[in-house]
Amino acid sequence: MRAAFDELYENYHKDLFQFVFYMVKDRQQTEDIIQEVYIKVINAYDTFKGESSEKTWLFSIARHVTIDFFRKQQRKRNRIIDFFDWGENGHFIKDEADLPDEVAVMNEEMRLVYQCLDHCSIDQKSVIILRYIQSFSIQETAETLGWTISKVKTTQHRALKTLKRMLADHDRGEGTNVESR
Amino acid sequence: MLSHDNFNEEKLSKMLSEMPKIQDNQDKDKLYEKISNKINGDDQQDAFRTKQKFPWAIPSIASIAVVILLIVIFQDAFPNRQYSNSDSASEQSTSSSDKALENSDMAPFAAEKNDSFDAGKRDESDGMTENEMSMLTKDIGFSSYIIYDSNPNVSIIPVAAMDENIQYVVPLTLVDNTNPDADPANFYNQLDAFINEEELGVVVFPFGKIAFQLELGENKVLLTIPDGYQMEEGSAIGGMFKQVLATMFTPYGITKAVVDPDNSRNESFGMYGNIDSLPLDKPKNQSFKLYRGTKANQALLIPSLPNQFNTMEEALEDMKQNQPDFLLEATIDSDVDLEIKVKAQGVTISSSSSKVANNQETATMIEAILLTAKSFGYTSVTFDFPVEQVGAYQLNKSIQVPAGPNPIQLH
């Protein structure tokens, strides 16, 4: 088990941590998810069929674990909203996670782009992180997400469009939600 | 105020690629320790759970022994009556047995296990065990089109697509061996991410952003239909909507699809009229044939839905017919004569044809018959063939019907 962990850690840990972190934007939650990913991967290591690369296999598991995490978080949030009856704007209430040091030191435009990522769907966010932040090829991204190449391209295009719209809204002073974070 | 007028795609892409690298500050050895503790902790918990089962397992075994003893005594005391029952059972027709078998439901997949189904499996004491079954998918030696729900660490999710002519529902089974407790809704809410249309030669139903929520306690699936979603009324695809939903959700015991009134503005199923609930009927009495899309890499076993057959004999006869116009291939050789005898839970299929041999065609026939038998409500099939083994199928034992057709390994 240790040998499998060492190999995965050496080859992919930095990228894996980065991917999950940009998905959830919280260091503690990232650490928890990463542990879960390793447990699943190590448990399933013997059954890995090698039809995709080890890297895309690992990241597809990381993505599924992260989506599970979002769903659990959404359920909790729904319960809280139901309880306090925050009404229609309840879904705008977001976790006030601090900016990580690495982002906090960057210029305002970069911080804004970082914050606007939250307005992308999970699929759009996955593509943006894999393609731009992780520098995955379109082929690798398609394998990781289990999509066709054309779907990756379409989602990437829509994600950039969403980001552009959010930045434009902010520019027009409509981005109070973005600025409040 | 910043000016973002110049946020063109190129600039945005550049900024995204310059996002800072986030470092993990955890120590590698400590991380391993945490993971290792969790894995070992789970193992210990499993062992503990096993230990906890013993206090009630022993009385249960004792009770079963008493029941068996009573049956033996009863049989000895009334030999003539027993003979008479068995005689009449063998004369039962396939169609008349359907009613008696209505309770032997399809296997619910994924996390929600049905106790009655498990009990049914244990009744087949002289059949192949689940472990033996799970070996089949690995060691069959021929292409296999079915999967058994035998590994507790694996989630199995029934999904569906359509053939490329939008004529038939194509049932598929997603297999997630990384998450034993996978939430099925995750898969239903992004089906196209898990089904490779080109490779399989299928078309995923355009559910768009319709969200599914399974409410198993109330035997219903809740659909959140986004504002502006348009069902293609009168089209072939629109007509498949109900069949696709039924194929995906009835294995869980779900009997209706309901539009979530709180979250859907378009509170009706369009072409089905102004209704907010759609009954889902379990596909029954089907025949299974091989479908091969024109550019597909592999064939799939698909049912005759919506066509139903009155008897299993009729269904098996249909399985001898090629339908090239619909890209369907026969799964039973037209020269192979099959005889069917029905028992309480299972069915016996006999043939003395020399075409029944240890080869791919016979293996596919066996799997197609198992799926067909399942759709007629049977839980096992005994094959009385001139060969004892086909691939990894040992024909001297009854074979349980599978959890689902056309497995797709997700990882």
Side-chain angles (χ1 to χ4, degrees):
Chain A
M1 187 168 95
R2 177 76 203 211
F5 171 79
D6 282 344
E7 194 184 330
L8 292 166
Y9 189 95
E10 293 310 323
N11 291 332
Y12 311 112
H13 184 76
K14 282 183 185 166
D15 285 345
L16 190 63
F17 189 87
Q18 179 130 302
F19 172 72
V20 176
F21 180 85
Y22 273 101
M23 288 295 285
V24 302
K25 292 186 166 179
D26 181 281
R27 194 172 281 277
Q28 184 56 50
Q29 287 167 348
T30 303
E31 289 176 5
D32 292 344
I33 290 172
I34 290 280
Q35 279 182 39
E36 190 69 22
V37 173
Y38 276 119
I39 289 167
K40 288 189 186 307
V41 168
I42 288 169
N43 281 337
Y45 204 66
D46 294 338
T47 62
F48 174 55
K49 296 197 302 175
E51 285 182 356
S52 57
S53 78
E54 197 173 62
K55 183 180 174 187
T56 53
W57 178 62
L58 182 69
F59 276 82
S60 68
I61 291 173
R63 183 167 173 273
H64 285 139
V65 174
T66 309
I67 289 174
D68 270 351
F69 164 81
F70 281 133
R71 288 188 63 82
K72 283 174 194 162
Q73 208 184 35
Q74 184 63 43
R75 278 198 290 269
K76 275 186 203 163
R77 190 170 288 154
N78 285 346
R79 279 200 296 272
I80 293 168
I81 289 170
D82 287 347
F83 186 75
F84 289 105
D85 191 19
W86 281 335
E88 286 185 2
N89 292 325
H91 62 282
F92 288 124
I93 298 163
K94 297 200 170 185
D95 296 333
E96 291 293 328
D98 290 331
L99 283 180
D101 295 342
E102 293 90 336
V103 176
V105 296
M106 305 205 76
N107 65 39
E108 192 184 345
E109 278 191 341
M110 289 292 274
R111 291 204 304 271
L112 200 55
V113 172
Y114 174 83
Q115 287 168 334
C116 282
L117 275 175
D118 289 341
H119 295 270
C120 293
S121 67
I122 292 176
D123 282 351
Q124 290 174 349
K125 211 169 170 183
S126 303
V127 171
I128 289 285
I129 295 169
L130 291 173
R131 288 283 293 126
Y132 295 108
I133 304 177
Q134 306 282 113
S135 305
F136 272 41
S137 68
I138 286 187
Q139 180 68 39
E140 280 179 319
T141 307
E143 280 177 25
T144 302
L145 300 175
W147 296 353
T148 59
I149 284 175
S150 62
K151 183 168 176 182
V152 172
K153 287 180 181 170
T154 312
T155 311
Q156 179 180 314
H157 177 69
R158 286 184 186 153
L160 290 176
K161 216 169 145 187
T162 304
L163 283 177
K164 272 167 69 178
R165 195 180 63 244
M166 288 312 302
L167 291 164
D169 286 351
H170 175 269
D171 206 23
R172 287 196 297 270
E174 295 170 9
T176 49
N177 191 32
V178 173
E179 283 182 331
S180 70
R181 285 174 56 85
Chain B
M1 170 85 59
L2 293 166
S3 175
H4 302 119
D5 291 342
N6 296 327
F7 264 122
N8 56 34
E9 247 175 56
E10 198 180 334
K11 183 180 176 186
L12 202 49
S13 306
K14 188 167 177 291
M15 289 177 75
L16 285 165
S17 58
E18 285 170 356
M19 279 285 155
K21 304 288 176 201
I22 309 291
Q23 301 291 333
D24 182 9
N25 302 327
Q26 290 181 102
D27 179 70
K28 179 185 166 189
D29 290 331
K30 280 188 181 159
L31 173 62
Y32 177 75
E33 204 178 318
K34 284 181 194 167
I35 294 163
S36 168
N37 285 343
K38 279 194 178 174
I39 291 176
N40 293 332
D42 284 349
D43 287 349
Q44 280 167 10
Q45 262 188 341
D46 286 345
F48 179 72
R49 278 189 215 113
T50 312
K51 213 173 179 180
Q52 289 294 301
K53 285 177 182 172
F54 278 105
W56 61 262
I58 293 168
S60 301
I61 292 167
S63 304
I64 292 166
V66 170
V67 170
I68 292 169
L69 200 61
L70 284 171
I71 291 169
V72 170
I73 292 166
F74 182 79
Q75 284 177 333
D76 286 346
F78 304 100
N80 291 335
R81 181 173 171 179
Q82 194 272 334
Y83 172 77
S84 154
N85 276 350
S86 120
D87 197 32
S88 65
S90 67
E91 287 170 3
Q92 257 182 321
S93 73
T94 313
S95 56
S96 68
S97 68
D98 289 349
K99 207 163 191 176
L101 295 170
E102 272 177 8
N103 291 332
S104 58
D105 203 359
M106 294 208 266
F109 309 103
E112 299 292 329
K113 306 282 182 191
N114 182 321
D115 288 343
S116 65
F117 178 75
D118 287 339
K121 282 176 184 167
R122 281 191 290 272
D123 285 344
E124 298 295 324
S125 54
D126 61 344
M128 293 176 77
T129 65
E130 287 201 339
N131 280 341
E132 286 175 310
M133 291 302 185
S134 66
M135 295 300 289
L136 292 177
T137 53
K138 292 176 188 166
D139 302 335
I140 187 168
F142 303 122
S143 295
S144 177
Y145 301 96
I146 57 176
I147 185 158
Y148 286 89
D149 188 12
S150 56
N151 187 340
N153 295 318
V154 170
S155 290
I156 289 180
I157 299 103
V159 298
M162 301 171 291
D163 73 302
E164 63 186 45
N165 296 320
I166 320 291
Q167 296 276 345
Y168 293 99
V169 174
V170 179
L172 303 163
T173 311
L174 300 181
V175 183
D176 184 354
N177 56 13
T178 62
N179 189 357
D181 302 315
D183 183 348
N186 282 347
F187 300 96
Y188 296 118
N189 289 332
Q190 42 176 349
L191 270 183
D192 52 355
F194 299 104
I195 299 174
N196 189 329
E197 292 182 322
E198 289 169 26
E199 198 174 280
L200 299 172
V202 299
V203 178
V204 175
F205 191 93
F207 286 117
K209 289 195 181 300
I210 291 181
F212 299 101
Q213 191 181 329
L214 278 64
E215 301 207 340
L216 300 180
E218 295 178 43
N219 295 332
K220 69 181 183 188
V221 56
L222 211 55
L223 272 63
T224 302
I225 301 181
D227 193 25
Y229 181 83
Q230 283 287 322
M231 175 84 71
E232 293 182 44
E233 293 193 24
S235 69
I237 283 189
M240 299 295 277
F241 183 69
K242 192 176 168 184
Q243 290 176 42
V244 170
L245 291 184
T247 303
M248 293 201 295
F249 298 118
T250 55
Y252 296 100
I254 284 173
T255 54
K256 61 181 175 181
V258 178
V259 175
D260 182 358
D262 297 331
N263 297 308
S264 304
R265 296 195 186 168
N266 181 13
E267 293 177 26
S268 89
F269 283 110
M271 63 170 297
Y272 295 97
N274 189 23
I275 53 170
D276 57 9
S277 163
L278 194 62
L280 300 179
D281 301 320
K282 187 168 75 173
K284 288 199 300 187
N285 300 9
Q286 306 288 301
S287 67
F288 278 77
K289 293 187 190 181
L290 269 184
Y291 161 73
R292 203 181 299 269
T294 43
K295 291 178 184 168
N297 296 345
Q298 63 182 92
L300 301 163
L301 275 179
I302 71 167
S304 53
L305 205 69
N307 296 333
Q308 290 192 357
F309 297 89
N310 291 326
T311 65
M312 196 155 154
E313 283 91 342
E314 286 177 20
L316 296 186
E317 207 51 44
D318 177 68
M319 287 157 70
K320 294 180 179 178
Q321 312 297 324
N322 286 310
Q323 290 174 272
D325 291 347
F326 298 105
L327 308 171
L328 293 178
E329 297 168 20
T331 40
I332 300 175
D333 190 295
S334 56
D335 294 338
V336 173
D337 286 326
L338 297 170
E339 193 184 335
I340 302 169
K341 281 183 188 166
V342 175
K343 292 181 188 170
Q345 289 290 306
V347 59
T348 299
I349 311 276
S350 311
S351 176
S352 54
S353 169
S354 59
K355 294 217 169 172
V356 175
N358 185 11
N359 55 30
Q360 176 69 63
E361 289 71 26
T362 307
T364 304
M365 175 176 77
I366 287 172
E367 295 188 341
I369 291 175
L370 286 169
L371 289 167
T372 300
K374 185 178 180 180
S375 82
F376 275 83
Y378 299 111
T379 56
S380 69
V381 179
T382 305
F383 292 93
D384 185 6
F385 283 174
V387 283
E388 285 196 350
Q389 181 136 2
V390 175
Y393 290 111
Q394 294 168 36
L395 304 186
N396 54 353
K397 298 174 177 178
S398 65
I399 301 176
Q400 286 168 22
V401 297
N406 308 315
I408 299 174
Q409 298 284 343
L410 292 181
H411 303 295

